[in-house]
Amino acid sequence: MTISTIRSHPRVLFLTVIAAFGFPLWAQTEKTMILRLTSTAPRIDGEIDPVWAEADSVSDFEQFGPFYGQPPTERTVVRLLGTDEALYCLMVSHHEKAPIQDITGVFDQAGGDGVSLMIDTFNDKQTAYRFWVSASGAQSDSRMVDDGRNRDYSWDGVWFSKSRVHSWGYVIEMEIPFKSIRYNGDLTEWGLDVHRWIASAKEELYWCKYNQAESQRISRFGRLILNGARPVVKGLNLEVYPVALARAVYSDGGKYRVEPDAGIDIFYNPSEKLTFQLTGNPDFAQIEADPFEFNISRYETYFSELRPFFTAGKEVFMASGKEQSSGFYEPLELFYSRRIGRALGDGSLVPLNVGAKTFGRLGTWEYGGFLARTGGTDFEDDDGILQHEPAATFTSARVKKQIFENSSIGMLFVGKHTPGRIDGVIDIDGAFRSPSYQLAYQLARSINNGKGDFGGSAGFRYFTKDLGVLVRSRIIGNEFDVDQVGFVPWSGTARLGAIAGPTWYFDEGTVSSMFQYSGFQVTYEHDDLYTDWVGVLGLNMQFRSNWGFEVTLIAGESKDLGAKYTYYEGDLSSWFNLSPRWNANAWGGIARSYNFSREYVGLYSWFGSYAEWKALDILELGTSYEMYIEGNPEGKVEDITYNARPFVSLTPVNNLNLRVYVDNLFVQSSDQMERIIVGFLFSYNFLPKSWIYLALNEVRERRDVLNAEQDPIGRRMETADRVGVMKVKYLYYL
């Protein structure tokens, strides 16, 4: 959770600084490694071939946690070799005990042992590739952006690895073809770091040293001297993905209709700095339904983008300064791709016929372009009246320039073009960064057929060994409207919030760090012609055994829809990663606030938890559970809503997974289950970027039963949707 508008979400300061805070300072000493060239490429088999003796090596790692700056408890040796076509990496991880093998293929500190290689191939100190391999051999990759503040896990590269476990530890080899990544071929050095996670000791190791108040930063990577190496990209650098799809859809009367379909995705890299992406007739079915979100605010609910075409390369179109780690500063989301191919009033989707992207670099400039074409369609609104959604063309253009080493400034345009009309937005944004602070800003103007208004946001984050400061602001004009292309529902509002306080870091003992903060937030809403204000007091503690908690108290004056009242809130959040076999989170709170769904002031309370348990190396069980309690003005309970989402995940071998989940929604006032979603997914990554999917989903909802006069006479559970999808995606790598 993040610090957000006080009343637009009740969990205001939830996990405010879980990742934004909690770690001692660094003193940077630049490290260097030389890339040796070889005419004989090593075999990627987990065995240490003689050719590795030619490579430069490093072993001077140190702890990032749990004992910052201390020597590792286990030895790690890394070697790198290069050919004209690929980068090769050998990691030898000594381990007194047998490493914990996690084959889920997802890097997290609750999982098993593993290592990762990170390379800044443009040496821009802002972006890098990360390649993670677990001791069991499972792979995961991502793009690091904004100087390491954010991760793009949608990036999926073609690379190869092999792991082999021995009695003394494990060996991992990687091959990263240069044609799978983008880079500046004129450079003589790249940025480099290496990471290792020792699960049994909860020990995190890096080759480079970082300020723990800032965590890992690309601008503090070591140097990989290319030693005269000039990567040569060979072949057409073309990736073609034919997609075959067969869908069986349940319809009224218990019948099914089979809908065969096909599509194609194309990636083309005419140079090492430029990428084109094209999709034709894409399948945008989601494997799992959007999670249930309980919302008593006056604003719409936000849902994350899950469709691969839109998630790939999305960091190019994001405003600078977004912080996934703390979430304290969130720039306005002016390109909300879920507006494209959106759901209509009757549940149908706007058809998307074709989409294309391009993104690349030219010196210190980064650029991107986007185009999508949706078809026109008829649908019924909530009142059963036939409506028409016209065909539309969506466009976006982005340019960003690196300044002052690892700071940036950029411009973004997003537009929706329909016959005789254009809706969109243009913005200027940027971020100034140093090891201890970031100042980010954004100024935007909406475009609504020639009309529009201004909106903007800014955020400042500063942490040292003694002090932490977080400041953010947002101003949205009354006529600022980007609903056709973005997600900015807060028209006619202004907000300023800040927290600050002392920080403590401990070299020994149970507690690793502590942050005690206080602050304020003021919020003006034009609809109420009133400025809300609250004071904030909180404590964040992190423990060396890999758990922590945060408690926050908030109180002030507020006004909504003519009702002026004293607002107060208390939050408690905790997180537990005490064992490689399980991890959990728990949170809860109570607030006196305005309930927009019921239009009165009352108490509102919530409780939530999430837990995962690796019952076996191949079997994972887990569930989320949330409870929302709505009180009325008389102080009595109006209603309680429960939502549970248990799942079972089986990974018998690397790259093959079977997952079953159930989503239950129960409401106390009806004393009945109101919705049940059951889903099954089989996924097999049989070759790099080549997949077989089989998905089965059923949605059952409680609906009104009507008599002959169309009057409701009761409610019963009915099948709202039942679908089976088989999808094959194959990569032709030319």
Side-chain angles (χ1 to χ4, degrees), residues 121-249:
T121 57
F122 286 92
N123 205 25
D124 62 6
K125 306 184 186 304
Q126 295 191 57
T127 60
Y129 292 97
R130 180 169 189 156
F131 303 91
W132 157 267
V133 184
S134 72
S136 68
Q139 290 186 182
S140 179
D141 53 29
S142 64
R143 286 269 294 156
M144 304 170 65
V145 298
D146 285 334
D147 198 14
R149 289 171 170 83
N150 297 298
R151 301 285 191 273
D152 176 15
Y153 290 101
S154 68
W155 184 78
D156 188 13
V158 178
W159 56 288
F160 309 92
S161 66
K162 185 69 175 179
S163 172
R164 190 174 297 275
V165 177
H166 302 273
S167 59
W168 47 264
Y170 61 97
V171 173
I172 286 176
E173 288 184 299
M174 301 183 193
E175 176 189 352
I176 303 170
F178 291 128
K179 67 178 181 179
S180 298
I181 58 177
R182 295 190 301 146
Y183 57 88
N184 185 342
D186 297 327
L187 295 177
T188 59
E189 62 182 61
W190 290 350
L192 173 71
D193 196 15
V194 186
H195 168 268
R196 179 182 176 186
W197 172 249
I198 304 176
S200 58
K202 307 178 189 65
E203 189 171 311
E204 189 170 18
L205 307 177
Y206 285 101
W207 179 50
C208 299
K209 189 165 187 173
Y210 300 103
N211 175 353
Q212 285 189 290
E214 281 288 324
S215 190
Q216 187 184 28
R217 291 291 177 257
I218 298 169
S219 56
R220 300 300 165 186
F221 275 16
R223 301 165 61 203
L224 175 62
I225 307 300
L226 298 181
N227 194 33
R230 287 292 182 268
V232 177
V233 176
K234 296 184 177 181
L236 297 178
N237 310 312
L238 180 66
E239 300 178 15
V240 182
Y241 304 90
V243 178
L245 182 71
R247 186 195 311 267
V249 182

Side-chain angles (χ1 to χ4, degrees), residues 46 83 111 173 191 201 242 256 382 395 397 409 420 453 459 505 582 585 698 721:
T83 67
E173 288 184 299
Y256 291 87
D382 294 338
T395 59
I409 184 171
D453 206 342
Y505 306 91
W582 66 271
N585 297 75
E698 175 161 333
D721 190 25

Side-chain angles (χ1 to χ4, degrees), residues 388-407:
H388 179 72
E389 176 77 10
T393 301
F394 292 83
T395 59
S396 181
R398 172 70 165 165
V399 292
K400 184 167 63 174
K401 179 174 173 56
Q402 181 179 349
I403 59 175
F404 305 132
E405 189 170 304
N406 75 326
S407 300

Side-chain angles (χ1 to χ4, degrees), residues 99 131 156 201 245 255 269 405 418 427 448 456 523 657 679 712 723:
F131 303 91
D156 188 13
L245 182 71
K255 297 181 179 180
N269 297 292
E405 189 170 304
T418 53
D427 101 318
N448 307 106
T523 304
N657 178 257
V723 61

